[in-house]
């Protein structure tokens, strides 16, 4: 069984000793909630640090569980009730029903886990910050031995029939829930034993540390003191405010810069970076109060020649700028004059706290543009929005029947003679698309009818201009159709509109826009989501709106689609790699191999409840088939790992194997190439259909 936390843990360096136990330095004693499987040692732990002696139980599916009375007294040990697919009530891992259901076949129903709201107001409770969950997760063999010993001593007679496999499953469940809560923005860390240091969950691509794990973060003053009340009502803090001006100023000590809607430049050595508050178009005031993110990028604007990467700092995160930060170095390509750890930047509820880390290394601050970010939407962004609107004839709306039929017919002619398409044994377009590596690739995951997300991708980073000038290729990994939003799964309007837009892109840029076949690119009666037969409903909607001839052309479109994109930078597939013995020739000749086609559109990463999935062996074999190395990224869609993310890197502990989703309601994820490496980007949601249609020329 794959360990969900394998290679995702690193020791927390800055610790404080509380009654002989090392705890994260920023953790306050009453924030601590200890959980873990039976036999993990929770009771001994709580007794040692003199916490609340009674056990508690939390049903994670219950609305407002974070206000439960069992959490009033802390630290204390808590058992978790966890939801599973097909089971109405949450189960604890020691419930008899859980034990009777053969837990290796259970699948955690993550969407039913409720996450507390996040508040940025000082006058309301931020429930996410109130608790820090420590998951006590010793090795299963250690737990098993403990439970056997205590059972022999007459304690816990229910463990008489316990086996090691059950303990392994219980530890696995808690590991997966810990990872899920971490990804959802909760405060989580792991410990294997009281003699071992606490471990921070740190997935590949994560560069920020939570405030409670960093000793340099300034603690909030106690409300028992005058300074605490001053901070609450007046905003006074210990770190001095820094006034950014048009003159370059040296920053020599920790300083706080307010979130005022304006950008600033930070110069480390001679290397410039721009920090800009991220203010999505159409965002409401409530959203802006709760989402005070900052974007770090190079000061040059995007161009049709170069699509650029950027990084994001969310409230509560701390990042280090320097050559030792590999994720940032991949994006920005720091020069030698930049130290390995040059400067630390903390997003403190929207304000920036900047700390120089090297005394002999310059950190300078300047404001080159005094405009509010909300007032300076770039000309290239406006141009892109107008260009996209013109592509669809003046508005983002469904095409009428004759125009739609003409468009899809033309697209099918393009697919029949698609550039870079390898022909099969019948001289027809095969299942493989082999692209050269000159234009910059932009890889888009499942869109599932999220038209605004596609518009966001097209209008950011000068993509539409780059497509026009053959400087980029847009690679959509299938499943652009069929909404996954509850209440919208039967509505096919967004699916029809998004395909109109994609068809228009293919028509306008036939050598630069490519679409792979996904499992939802079908009229199959077997295609359903939550019992909704979306394949059948899509076919009916198209027939009712556009007639039988259009349905015929849509089926032809499905049949003409490739299943895999290969370049020297990446391999793109909708679902996952095929069996290890599959050859390049077989992938090309997919029309005669339906089982292989099904694998490429329906396979999933191997997990405890999906043992038939693919793993490291299949990824390695796929790279070998095309003569690729470990550095070649394999990027798939189809299997988002939780409802909160859009990007998952090095999935299954497989280096350079990534999953991307572009249908998230909070905004899409994509991959781009920067300096030969595939870099993930995420964008916030913007209601662009309405905004573009209202835009004045």
């Amino acid at each position: 069984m794959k360990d969900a936390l394998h290679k995702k843990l690193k020791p927390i360096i800055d610790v404080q000793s509380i009654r002989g136990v090392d705890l994260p330095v920023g953790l306050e004693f009453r924030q601590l909630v200890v959980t873990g499987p039976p036999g993990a040692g929770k009771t001994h732990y709580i007794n040692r640090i003199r916490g609340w002696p009674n056990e508690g139980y939390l049903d994670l599916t219950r609305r407002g569980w974070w206000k439960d009375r069992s959490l009033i007294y802390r630290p204390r040990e808590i058992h978790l009730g966890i939801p599973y697919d097909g089971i109405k009530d949450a189960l604890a891992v020691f419930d008899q029903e859980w034990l009777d259901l053969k837990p290796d076949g259970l699948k955690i129903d993550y969407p039913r886990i409720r996450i507390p709201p996040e508040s940025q107001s000082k006058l309301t409770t931020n429930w996410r910050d109130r608790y820090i969950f420590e998951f006590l997760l010793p090795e299963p063999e250690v737990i098993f031995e403990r439970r056997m010993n205590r059972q022999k001593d007459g304690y816990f007679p229910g463990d008489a029939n316990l086996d090691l496999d059950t303990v392994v499953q219980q530890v696995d469940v808690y590991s997966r829930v810990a990872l899920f809560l971490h990804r959802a923005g909760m405060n989580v860390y792991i410990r294997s034993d009281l003699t071992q240091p606490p471990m921070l969950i740190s997935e590949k691509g994560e560069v920020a540390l939570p405030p409670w794990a960093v000793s340099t973060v300034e603690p909030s003053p106690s409300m028992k003191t005058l300074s605490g009340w001053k901070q609450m009502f007046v905003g006074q803090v210990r770190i001095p405010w820094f006034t950014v001006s048009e003159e370059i100023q040296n920053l020599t000590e920790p300083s706080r810069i307010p979130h005022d809607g304006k950008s600033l430049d930070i110069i480390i050595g001679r290397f410039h970076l721009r920090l800009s508050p991220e203010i999505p178009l159409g965002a409401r005031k409530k959203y802006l109060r709760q989402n005070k993110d900052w974007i770090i990028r190079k000061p040059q604007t995007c161009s049709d020649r170069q699509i650029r990467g950027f990084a994001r700092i969310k409230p509560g995160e701390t990042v280090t700028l320097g050559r030792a930060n590999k994720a940032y170095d991949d994006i920005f390509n720091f020069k030698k004059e930049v130290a390995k750890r040059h400067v630390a930047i903390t997003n403190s509820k929207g304000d920036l706290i900047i700390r120089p880390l090297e005394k002999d290394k310059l950190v300078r601050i300047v404001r080159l543009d005094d405009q509010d970010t909300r007032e300076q939407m770039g000309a290239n962004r406006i141009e892109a929005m107008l260009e996209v609107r013109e592509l669809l004839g003046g508005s983002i709306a469904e095409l009428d029947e004759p125009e739609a039929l003409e468009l899809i017919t033309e697209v099918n002619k393009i697919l029949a003679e698609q550039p870079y398409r390898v022909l099969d044994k019948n001289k027809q377009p095969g299942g493989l698309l082999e692209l050269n590596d000159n234009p910059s690739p932009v890889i888009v995951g499942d869109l599932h009818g999220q038209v605004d997300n596609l518009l966001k991708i097209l209008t950011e980073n000068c993509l539409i201009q780059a497509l026009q000038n053959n400087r980029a290729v847009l690679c959509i990994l299938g499943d652009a159709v069929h909404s996954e939003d509850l209440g919208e799964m039967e509505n096919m309007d967004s699916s029809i509109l998004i395909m109109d837009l994609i068809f228009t892109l293919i028509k306008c840029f036939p050598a630069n826009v490519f679409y792979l076949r996904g499992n939802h690119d079908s009229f199959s009666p077997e295609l359903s989501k939550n019992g909704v037969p979306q394949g059948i409903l899509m076919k009916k909607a198209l027939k009712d709106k556009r007639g039988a001839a259009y349905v015929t052309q849509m089926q032809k479109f499905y049949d003409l689609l490739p299943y895999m994109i290969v370049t020297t930078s990446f391999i793109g597939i909708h679902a996952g790699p095929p069996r290890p013995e599959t050859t390049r020739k077989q992938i090309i000749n997919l029309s005669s191999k339906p089982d292989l086609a099904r694998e490429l559109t329906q396979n999933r990463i191997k997990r405890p409840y999906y043992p038939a999935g693919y793993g490291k062996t299949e990824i390695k074999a796929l790279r070998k088939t095309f003569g690729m190395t470990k550095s070649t990224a394999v990027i798939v869609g189809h299997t988002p790992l939780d409802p909160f993310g859009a990007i998952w890197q090095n999935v299954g502990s497989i280096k350079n194997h990534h999953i991307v989703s572009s249908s998230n309601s909070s905004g899409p994820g994509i991959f781009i190439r920067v300096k030969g490496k595939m870099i993930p980007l995420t964008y916030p949601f913007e209601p662009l259909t309405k905004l573009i249609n209202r835009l004045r020329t």
Side-chain angles (χ1 to χ4, degrees):
M1 176 185 298
K2 281 285 186 183
D3 179 4
L5 298 173
H6 181 58
K7 293 186 178 180
K8 293 183 174 69
L9 299 177
K10 66 179 182 181
I12 297 175
I13 304 300
D14 299 323
V15 295
Q16 56 182 325
S17 179
I18 297 181
R19 299 187 174 102
V21 178
D22 287 339
L23 295 171
V25 68
L27 175 146
E28 296 180 9
F29 191 59
R30 280 181 50 79
Q31 286 181 289
L32 183 62
V33 177
V34 179
T35 189
K42 301 184 294 297
T43 302
H44 170 72
Y45 183 7
I46 292 298
N47 289 339
R48 180 168 173 177
I49 62 175
R50 301 177 193 173
W52 188 254
N54 298 324
E55 299 177 352
Y57 173 79
L58 285 180
D59 178 350
L60 295 180
T61 69
R62 188 170 63 81
R63 185 186 299 274
W65 61 256
W66 44 91
K67 300 179 183 178
D68 195 282
R69 291 184 61 84
S70 64
L71 291 173
I72 292 176
Y73 302 103
R74 303 182 301 276
R76 76 181 304 170
E77 63 173 295
I78 293 292
H79 299 287
L80 300 181
I82 301 165
Y84 297 90
D85 279 358
I87 300 174
K88 180 180 178 181
D89 298 322
L91 299 177
V93 296
F94 49 77
D95 287 340
Q96 192 60 47
E97 185 178 357
W98 189 91
L99 297 170
D100 291 342
L101 284 170
K102 300 294 183 184
D104 58 342
L106 291 175
K107 179 181 178 182
I108 298 174
D109 190 358
Y110 292 109
R112 286 169 58 197
I113 296 178
R114 296 183 181 272
I115 301 299
E118 185 177 22
S119 172
Q120 299 295 325
S121 171
K122 294 181 181 296
L123 299 178
T124 59
T125 300
N126 189 337
W127 292 103
R128 296 193 192 185
D129 285 347
R130 171 161 287 197
Y131 311 116
I132 297 178
F133 284 83
E134 177 178 312
F135 279 72
L136 193 55
L137 300 175
E139 291 295 325
E141 292 79 7
V142 173
I143 295 178
F144 181 69
E145 182 179 358
R146 287 177 184 169
R147 294 176 69 176
M148 287 294 93
N149 289 337
R150 72 187 188 184
Q151 192 273 329
K152 290 176 184 177
D153 293 338
Y155 300 101
F156 300 96
D159 281 352
N161 299 318
L162 183 70
D163 56 63
L164 180 59
D165 286 344
T166 298
V167 177
V168 170
Q169 294 288 349
Q170 291 173 334
V171 172
D172 180 68
V173 166
Y174 270 85
S175 298
R176 294 181 184 281
V177 171
L179 183 60
F180 175 83
L181 294 179
H182 165 75
R183 289 171 171 170
M186 299 292 290
N187 298 313
V188 172
Y189 69 92
I190 310 295
R191 192 195 302 270
S192 62
D193 188 85
L194 296 189
T195 63
Q196 300 299 316
M199 307 287 284
L200 187 69
I201 298 177
S202 180
E203 297 189 81
K204 296 288 185 180
E206 289 186 351
V207 295
L209 296 176
W212 48 267
V214 186
S215 63
T216 54
V217 175
E218 192 74 14
S220 299
S222 170
M223 293 306 298
K224 296 179 181 179
T225 66
L226 177 61
S227 61
W229 286 96
K230 282 184 177 180
Q231 178 174 344
M232 180 175 179
F233 291 107
V234 189
Q236 295 183 13
V237 293
R238 297 179 185 178
I239 298 176
W241 292 99
F242 185 91
T243 302
V244 184
S245 70
E246 296 179 1
E247 295 184 0
I248 297 177
Q249 302 176 74
N250 288 337
L251 192 147
T252 58
E253 61 180 359
S255 303
R256 180 183 291 262
I257 297 173
H259 185 292
D260 58 2
K262 299 176 183 179
S263 300
L264 60 100
D265 280 26
I266 183 169
I267 307 170
I268 48 180
R270 291 174 296 171
F271 194 88
H272 286 233
L273 287 174
R274 179 156 296 165
L275 282 73
S276 303
E278 185 173 51
I279 305 178
L281 298 175
R284 299 178 181 272
K285 290 182 179 179
K286 181 179 179 181
Y287 175 92
L288 296 177
R289 286 197 301 267
Q290 298 178 353
N291 296 272
K292 294 184 178 181
D293 298 350
W294 285 79
I295 294 297
I296 306 177
R297 58 184 174 86
K298 290 186 176 180
Q300 301 88 347
T301 59
C302 69
S303 70
D304 60 5
R305 292 181 173 272
Q306 187 175 12
I307 294 175
R308 299 185 182 276
F310 59 83
R312 179 181 287 106
I313 313 180
K314 296 182 177 181
E317 290 183 341
T318 297
V319 301
T320 300
L321 298 184
R323 290 181 289 112
N325 186 334
K326 187 177 184 304
Y328 276 31
D329 195 30
D330 287 344
I331 298 173
F332 301 122
N333 191 26
F334 291 124
K335 305 304 180 184
K336 286 187 177 180
E337 70 259 18
V338 176
K340 288 185 177 180
R341 298 177 74 253
H342 203 118
V343 62
I345 303 176
T346 298
N347 183 338
S348 177
K349 297 183 178 180
D351 296 339
L352 293 181
I353 298 174
I354 302 180
R355 296 177 176 85
L357 299 178
E358 295 280 354
K359 290 183 179 179
D360 60 340
K361 296 289 186 180
L362 286 177
V363 176
R364 294 174 291 171
I365 303 293
V366 64
R367 175 162 284 147
L368 299 178
D369 191 335
D370 199 41
Q371 275 190 307
D372 189 302
T373 301
R374 287 163 287 194
E375 300 171 354
Q376 57 174 354
M377 183 170 63
N380 49 27
R381 184 91 197 278
I382 296 175
E383 180 185 346
M385 293 168 70
L386 291 171
E387 183 68 33
V388 168
R389 188 170 70 180
E390 289 306 309
L391 287 177
L392 280 179
S395 65
I396 309 298
E398 288 182 31
L399 301 175
D400 58 31
E401 181 181 339
E403 189 177 2
L405 181 59
E406 181 182 353
L407 175 61
I408 192 173
T409 302
E410 188 170 347
V411 166
N412 285 336
K413 291 178 182 177
I414 291 170
L415 292 186
E417 300 177 356
Q418 195 169 38
Y420 314 117
R421 192 75 170 271
V422 184
L423 299 181
D424 65 14
K425 60 185 178 183
N426 298 318
K427 304 301 180 184
Q428 298 299 313
L432 181 63
L433 193 66
E434 291 185 320
L435 303 181
N436 65 49
D437 239 7
N438 289 330
S440 298
V442 176
I443 303 174
V444 178
D446 300 19
L447 285 158
H448 285 300
Q450 296 288 348
V451 176
D452 287 327
N453 282 3
L454 177 58
L455 295 174
K456 177 68 173 175
I457 294 167
L458 290 172
T459 58
E460 284 284 2
N461 229 331
C462 297
L463 175 57
I464 200 74
Q465 294 94 332
L467 290 173
Q468 291 171 329
N469 292 284
N470 194 30
R471 297 289 183 175
V473 290
L474 181 64
C475 305
I476 303 173
L477 302 183
D479 280 13
V481 296
H482 302 161
S483 175
E484 293 190 320
D485 292 343
L486 294 176
E488 290 294 320
M489 291 184 180
E490 297 182 14
N491 188 344
M492 295 296 133
D493 290 348
S494 64
S495 296
I496 294 171
L497 174 56
I498 204 167
M499 291 311 301
D500 281 351
L501 185 51
I502 290 172
F503 290 155
T504 303
L505 290 170
I506 294 174
K507 174 188 173 183
C508 294
F509 315 113
N512 298 83
V513 176
F514 303 98
Y515 187 95
L516 295 186
R517 186 163 187 174
N519 61 307
H520 280 261
D521 298 304
S522 169
F523 293 139
S524 171
E526 299 176 0
L527 177 59
S528 67
K529 186 78 172 181
N530 286 9
V532 178
Q534 292 181 310
I536 293 175
L537 291 177
M538 180 69 168
K539 184 175 183 178
K540 182 179 185 302
L542 289 175
K543 186 175 181 179
D544 291 345
K545 287 190 174 188
R546 294 178 174 176
Y550 191 91
V551 173
T552 300
Q553 288 295 324
M554 182 62 85
Q555 182 61 61
K556 185 177 180 180
F557 170 76
Y558 292 151
D559 294 338
L560 282 168
L561 287 173
Y563 286 72
M564 187 182 296
I565 297 176
V566 174
T567 78
T568 57
S569 297
F570 74 94
I571 300 173
I573 325 165
H574 172 68
R579 290 159 290 182
E581 65 272 15
T582 304
T583 65
R584 176 178 178 273
K585 185 176 180 180
Q586 289 173 327
I587 294 172
I588 294 170
N589 290 284
L590 273 177
S591 60
S592 60
K593 298 186 178 298
D595 290 342
L596 181 55
R598 191 176 300 111
E599 283 188 63
L600 296 176
T601 56
Q602 299 187 19
N603 209 355
R604 298 184 188 273
I605 183 75
K606 188 180 296 183
R607 286 172 287 177
Y609 51 84
Y610 197 81
Y614 68 88
K616 187 176 293 185
T617 300
E618 287 76 15
I619 295 288
K620 182 178 179 180
L622 179 65
R623 289 177 176 139
K624 185 177 180 181
T625 296
F626 294 99
M628 305 297 185
T629 66
K630 289 182 180 180
S631 63
T632 303
V634 176
I635 303 176
V636 304
H638 187 56
T639 310
L641 298 187
D642 61 60
F644 303 98
I647 299 285
W648 298 269
Q649 293 182 267
N650 302 288
V651 177
S653 299
I654 306 170
K655 190 174 182 180
N656 291 317
H657 164 239
H658 313 310
I659 295 176
V660 56
S661 170
S662 301
S663 60
N664 197 295
S665 59
S666 60
I670 63 172
F671 274 87
I672 67 170
R673 189 180 66 220
V674 177
K675 299 293 183 182
K677 296 181 180 180
M678 301 309 298
I679 300 295
L681 300 180
T682 57
Y683 294 120
F685 171 80
E686 291 179 341
L688 286 179
T689 302
K690 293 180 180 178
L691 294 176
I692 291 175
N693 284 340
R694 294 173 181 173
L695 194 64
R696 296 180 180 178
T697 55

